[in-house]
Amino acid sequence: MKDDCIFCKIIKKESPSNIVYEDSNVFAFRDIQPQAKHHILVIPKKHIPTITDIESNDVYGQIFSAIKKIAKQEGMEKGGYRVCINNGPDAGQTVFHVHFHVIGGEKISDKMA
Ligand code: AMP
């Protein structure tokens, strides 16, 4: 945990969030500026700044297992959804705690950028 990280504060419930899912390794909550009907941020509980800093592939397994459950829970399984990561400043990463955007619940733009 990093004291000045907003997502660490959300995990610790020191900052409010709209929680969607939680297990021992993964936390998920609704984005405050949703880009579609459903816009959920799925994050490792461990503070890792960027995907470049991920040292164990276990993190990906844990995250994608959670995403699958969340998609079912949110009713996005059938229609599909987008999973994206902004990695680093050039890609628009603004919060330096790894997060996977899960976006769907309606037809979304086919443009990636
Ligand atoms: P990125 O630009 O990929 O780093 O995405 C950061 C995302 O975090 C943005 O979509 C923000 O809207 C979202 N965000 C920032 N602070 C919060 C917060 N306190 N609660 C929920 N979402 C947040």
Side-chain angles (χ1 to χ4, degrees):
M1 291 290 169
K2 193 162 176 278
D3 287 346
D4 61 351
C5 170
I6 179 64
F7 287 179
C8 285
K9 285 183 183 158
I10 285 174
I11 292 164
K12 286 191 280 179
K13 297 171 178 124
E14 289 172 8
S15 284
S17 74
N18 195 333
I19 301 169
V20 171
Y21 175 87
E22 181 173 12
D23 65 31
S24 50
N25 298 304
V26 179
F27 196 89
F29 54 102
R30 294 188 197 284
D31 197 294
I32 35 167
Q33 288 189 293
Q35 304 295 314
K37 186 176 169 200
H38 296 316
H39 185 165
I40 296 154
L41 300 174
V42 185
I43 67 178
K45 283 191 167 172
K46 184 177 176 195
H47 180 83
I48 307 171
T50 74
I51 56 165
T52 312
D53 302 304
I54 292 179
E55 286 172 348
S56 165
N57 286 332
D58 292 353
V59 175
Y60 292 104
Q62 290 157 0
I63 294 276
F64 278 99
S65 164
I67 288 173
K68 200 170 151 182
K69 290 177 195 162
I70 292 163
K72 190 170 184 186
Q73 181 184 306
E74 297 288 310
M76 295 191 287
E77 213 179 19
K78 194 162 170 240
Y81 49 92
R82 178 170 295 151
V83 180
C84 66
I85 307 157
N86 296 323
N87 192 52
D90 282 358
Q93 183 175 4
T94 57
V95 179
F96 285 80
H97 180 132
V98 165
H99 49 284
F100 290 64
H101 296 260
V102 178
I103 300 165
E106 62 185 335
K107 179 84 180 147
I108 52 177
S109 162
D110 57 2
K111 292 193 174 58
M112 287 298 291

